[in-house]
Amino acid sequence: MGTISEEILGRAAGKKACAGEFVIARVDYAMSHDGTSVLAVKALKEMGVDKVWDPSRIIIPLDHLVPANNETTALLHKELREWAFSHGIVHFYDVGEGICHQVMAEKGFAMPGKVVVGADSHSCTYGAFGAFGTGVGATDMAEIYASGKLWFRVPETIKVTIDGGLPKGVTAKDVALHVIKHVKADGAAYKALEFYGSTISEMSMAGRMTLCNMAIEMGAKAGIVPPDARTEAYLEGRAVEPYAPVYANDASYCDEYHFDSRISPLVACPFEVDNVHDVEEVEGRHIDQVLIGSCTNGRFEDLREAARILDGRKVKCRTLVIPASRGVMLEAISSGVAATLLKAGATICNPGCGPCLGGHMGVLAQGEACMSTTNRNFRGRMGKGAEVYLGSPLTAAATAIEGKIADPRRYL
Ligand SMILES: CC(C)[C@H](C(=O)O)[C@@H](O)C(=O)O
Ligand code: SF4
């Protein structure tokens, strides 16, 4: 009897798990990328361990600085490739496969009822599939590499219910920003979120990923959507092993929120993710660069939405489109979406994190502003002295056309 997190962690720990208790749980899949694997490998060495627990359950995608931007990164990638090869890591994804969280979903590692841990804060994305997905630091990842287990404090859970259809120009990203506006950036610290309601059941898997991806922006340990027929359809022929869905069962929640989906397109203004405004309040602000991509909004559905607005039009400011994976890029090409975006004047970069964390490929200059479909807008995130506005792919596309923040509803 418990929340989804209590039920999943209880099963993985082999004993009843109640919020607030500490458990040692078995981890089903562990992910670390080029930004964190090296530290995890170093910690593993310091622990005096050389053999990993199960090379088929460790997934390593190179995504944060790809292709390598300098000799230091190139060497880091090289060392990681060699380590992965010598330890028999089965699921090593080199430059170009995509952003870790998208790769984890596409390759079928994020499944209902599983404990899927990543050395990256946005590993809460896997909650879209009904998994307990959470991010850990590199030393905790080293412990998983060594033993396949990790300690957890079982989180309390906030129940979030969102009902209603999405109005014109409103997407899963706007729903996520709406929730963040009310729950606040620290409102779910160390808690889990469970999402219910007709808006969620009608939401595509891509949309659910966008929503769960941003759970960490409220401090949440996990953000979980109970699995349903859509989840099953996505995982059909994709899940790497059988899974048993887990649902909340007579659970008690520490807090509950009810939202109505009848909202405006929203924008999170610099420099806090919960500094959220209706697009009409911030329309007209100058923008130097638009970024459509990331683990939040770099999926095919997002690119297609942007193309709906950009079709037959021209961008007025530099516009970067970064598909979240090779699969997304292929679909964008075969569907004609990529051509539409290119004809509108956008630049399409290779799959990866791009400038999302200010490291690579599209970093901003001091004094510049970016309208971005990513998840973080704190000071310096995409370049020192630059500003980041967060919005949906529709809002980003409308903004690209005007070179200033624009309401997407005027273009639909
Ligand atoms: C580099 C990595 C550790 C980091 C994270 O954990 O979130 C990054 O992905 C980010 O989005 O800032
Ligand atoms: S796309 Fe951005 S938020 Fe997502 S994993 Fe990469 S750097 Fe982190």
Side-chain angles (χ1 to χ4, degrees):
M1 266 178 21
T3 62
I4 300 182
S5 298
E6 288 171 327
E7 295 279 331
I8 295 180
L9 288 175
R11 195 159 82 181
K15 70 189 222 7
K16 194 166 158 33
C18 295
E21 283 176 3
F22 288 85
V23 295
I24 294 180
R26 199 178 28 73
V27 172
D28 292 294
Y29 292 96
M31 185 285 295
S32 56
H33 51 63
D34 52 344
T36 50
S37 297
V38 175
L39 295 167
V41 166
K42 189 167 165 271
L44 190 71
K45 279 189 189 139
E46 283 165 10
M47 286 160 66
V49 179
D50 189 44
K51 221 171 147 301
V52 300
W53 118 89
D54 184 346
S56 71
R57 290 184 180 270
I58 296 172
I59 297 101
I60 305 185
L62 303 192
D63 61 351
H64 273 62
L65 294 169
V66 296
N69 54 340
N70 57 33
E71 297 93 328
T72 312
T73 308
L75 185 62
L76 184 150
H77 286 175
K78 178 173 181 283
E79 286 172 358
L80 198 50
R81 267 181 211 110
E82 287 166 2
W83 183 85
F85 182 76
S86 65
H87 287 75
I89 302 298
V90 181
H91 307 289
F92 177 82
Y93 297 103
D94 216 317
V95 174
E97 198 59 32
I99 304 172
C100 54
H101 308 306
Q102 183 65 18
V103 169
M104 289 294 283
E106 282 181 13
K107 308 286 181 190
F109 295 109
M111 291 169 276
K114 306 279 182 190
V115 178
V116 187
V117 180
D120 187 281
S121 62
H122 292 101
S123 304
C124 49
T125 309
Y126 318 140
F129 304 91
F132 182 82
T134 200
V136 297
T139 40
D140 280 330
M141 185 48 69
E143 178 54 42
I144 302 175
Y145 277 3
S147 68
K149 294 188 187 126
L150 192 64
W151 68 270
F152 294 91
R153 185 162 78 87
V154 182
E156 294 179 298
T157 298
I158 301 175
K159 182 176 184 182
V160 178
T161 307
I162 311 160
D163 278 311
L166 292 181
K168 184 172 97 166
V170 175
T171 68
K173 178 59 162 288
D174 304 290
V175 172
L177 293 175
H178 186 63
V179 173
I180 293 171
K181 177 181 179 166
H182 293 277
V183 175
K184 300 283 177 220
D186 59 355
Y190 208 86
K191 296 180 172 133
L193 297 164
E194 280 179 21
F195 296 106
Y196 294 92
S198 62
T199 313
I200 307 300
S201 46
E202 289 302 310
M203 206 175 255
S204 66
M205 293 314 294
R208 293 178 190 183
M209 286 177 78
T210 302
L211 181 64
C212 294
N213 175 272
M214 291 197 79
I216 185 66
E217 307 313 327
M218 292 166 271
K221 186 87 185 155
I224 309 179
V225 173
D228 60 10
R230 270 176 210 263
T231 322
E232 267 172 44
Y234 182 90
L235 288 169
E236 173 107 47
R238 192 190 296 266
V240 292
E241 65 178 353
Y243 59 85
V246 167
Y247 299 95
N249 172 12
D250 198 15
S252 62
Y253 294 95
C254 65
D255 213 344
E256 291 198 28
Y257 288 84
H258 288 268
F259 295 112
D260 189 311
S261 69
R262 278 168 299 172
I263 55 173
S264 279
L266 298 172
V267 177
C269 297
F271 293 98
E272 289 90 28
V273 71
D274 56 4
N275 184 14
V276 174
H277 296 271
D278 290 353
V279 69
E280 45 270 51
E281 288 173 54
V282 292
E283 248 192 307
R285 292 199 196 174
H286 176 81
I287 292 294
D288 300 282
Q289 173 172 292
V290 164
L291 168 62
I292 298 168
S294 85
C295 55
T296 315
N297 275 131
R299 282 171 272 285
F300 175 67
E301 180 177 304
D302 301 314
L303 273 49
R304 191 185 56 201
E305 289 291 274
R308 247 174 86 200
I309 289 194
L310 289 169
D311 193 9
R313 298 191 168 105
K314 284 269 181 262
V315 300
K316 222 184 214 159
C317 62
R318 51 184 203 271
T319 300
L320 305 182
V321 177
I322 309 190
S325 70
R326 183 190 304 281
V328 170
M329 192 153 184
L330 277 168
E331 215 174 336
I333 292 171
S334 63
S335 62
V337 160
T340 302
L341 296 169
L342 285 169
K343 281 184 201 153
T347 301
I348 302 185
C349 307
N350 63 273
C353 296
C356 171
L357 81 165
H360 194 25
M361 213 158 61
V363 176
L364 298 160
Q366 184 141 15
E368 285 191 320
C370 182
M371 168 57 75
S372 178
T373 67
T374 54
N375 47 40
R376 288 184 173 154
N377 64 347
F378 54 75
R379 220 174 270 277
R381 171 69 170 175
M382 285 175 68
K384 204 170 154 201
E387 293 185 331
V388 180
Y389 290 87
L390 306 174
S392 74
L394 288 176
T395 304
T399 298
I401 294 168
E402 299 193 8
K404 47 191 188 193
I405 300 181
D407 189 332
R409 290 171 295 195
R410 274 190 281 113
Y411 293 94
L412 292 168

